[in-house]
Amino acid sequence: MSGILRELLCVSEKAANIARACRQQEALFQLLIEEKKEGEKNKKFAVDFKTLADVLVQEVIKQNMENKFPGLGKKIFGEESNEFTNDLGEKIIMRLCPTEEETVDLLNKVLNGNKLASEALAKVVHQDVVFSDPALDALEINIPQDTLGVWVDPIDSTYQYIKGSADIKSNQGIFPSGLQCVTILIGVYDIQTGVPLMGVINQPFVSQDLNTLRWKGQCYWGLSYMGTNIHSLLPPVSTRNSSETQSQVTQNPSSEAECFHPFSAVISTSEKETIKAALSRVCGERIFRAAGAGYKSLCVVLGLVDIYIFSEDTTFKWDSCAAHAILRAMGGGMVDLKECLERNPNSGLDLPQLVYHVGNRGAAGVDQWANKGGLIAYRSKKQLETFLSRLLRHLAPVDAHT
């Protein structure tokens, strides 16, 4: 079973290589540049190249997993369709072919004869990747494969990926925008209960060599199953987030502690004003804005902030499943914000965790997989309870029921 997680780490790294190649290899970069021209599309390229990069990553993940674990490929879901139409009106199904030459031929059709780009892409797609983590290599755990489903977001924060800003400065370790906000998300869940079991977050663009301009990435993972909780070892990011500091925050919610705004949160630039106003009372100045749902969740995983909160219904199961699994392995989780605000804290009911196996009733298309009530990602249950009680205190009553 840990073999599946090991393979997911390998395919996430192959996906990261594809994402980096599209920015670093000239033939591919020229296609990405076309995406920057708003309202203007080069007639040579009938295909939306950012979508092709997305689809290619998704198909590589599916095909690699199917080859190693027959039957699993059919249970891997994402937001991208793998069907393209080229200039000749031909419908082409994008898939990973058995050989590099066949993949070149298929990409050549999709890209209307752009041989250089097709060859460059096919080469990285068929490159072998070895990824090893001693903590995972030592783990042997058996989860029946037929109980698993997989959500994939092949390139989260596509806008930042296309824009390609490499010189954005971080604010206390958190990047508001730029390539650092791009993530590849793979989340594994139980198809019976919807509970997330394994998660991989690959951040392809973490640091850039100023001489070669080549990027290095970082990969994070977690597994939570039947009492086994294990995750990639993360270095302490700041002393503020040490266990000692956190226990003081959760165990001593005095008015004095509240004056010092013990919580920090990351939010979307599109967050509602009512939520932002309440948050400023709870967190003071320690509210950070950042791009990408996957990246904001990663900020919580890394301990850069305590909370990621989002009140809109525009994140989806593929955005949240990977981070949710890692947070579960760390003792945290991801809950439905709307249900949390409507919940009676004295009811004794469990926190409303997001689940991944059922769609929204009456919804069609991608909307059926939206996180309709918004979300909160957190690292500590006690901390979340304290945070919610303070947030509710500062939200107008009407907001708790809308």
Side-chain angles (χ1 to χ4, degrees), residues 152-212:
V152 171
D153 192 338
I155 299 178
D156 186 55
S157 202
T158 314
Y159 176 73
Q160 298 301 326
Y161 179 60
I162 300 303
K163 198 174 174 193
S165 302
D167 54 356
I168 305 293
K169 297 282 182 281
S170 72
N171 181 3
Q172 296 185 40
I174 297 168
F175 289 87
S177 58
L179 281 170
Q180 286 89 347
C181 298
V182 174
T183 53
I184 292 157
L185 308 170
I186 309 174
V188 180
Y189 63 95
D190 184 314
I191 59 174
Q192 302 296 324
T193 64
V195 171
L197 304 176
M198 292 181 274
V200 173
I201 300 178
N202 197 307
Q203 195 181 10
F205 306 97
V206 174
S207 59
Q208 189 179 33
D209 185 311
L210 295 179
N211 294 318
T212 64

Side-chain angles (χ1 to χ4, degrees), residues 366-381:
V366 295
D367 283 343
Q368 65 185 308
W369 302 113
N371 294 316
K372 278 292 186 191
L375 58 82
I376 307 180
Y378 64 96
R379 300 179 90 213
S380 154
K381 186 180 175 184

Side-chain angles (χ1 to χ4, degrees), residues 4 8 14 41 48 59 105 120 127 137-138 150 168 176 186 189 197 202 211 234 257 281 301 316 357-358 363 367:
I4 288 182
L8 287 175
K14 184 177 276 197
K41 197 165 185 288
D48 170 351
E59 291 306 305
D105 290 343
Q127 237 166 20
D137 292 342
V150 184
I168 305 293
I186 309 174
Y189 63 95
L197 304 176
N202 197 307
N211 294 318
L234 306 174
R281 303 289 299 276
V301 168
F316 299 86
H357 62 318
V358 288
D367 283 343

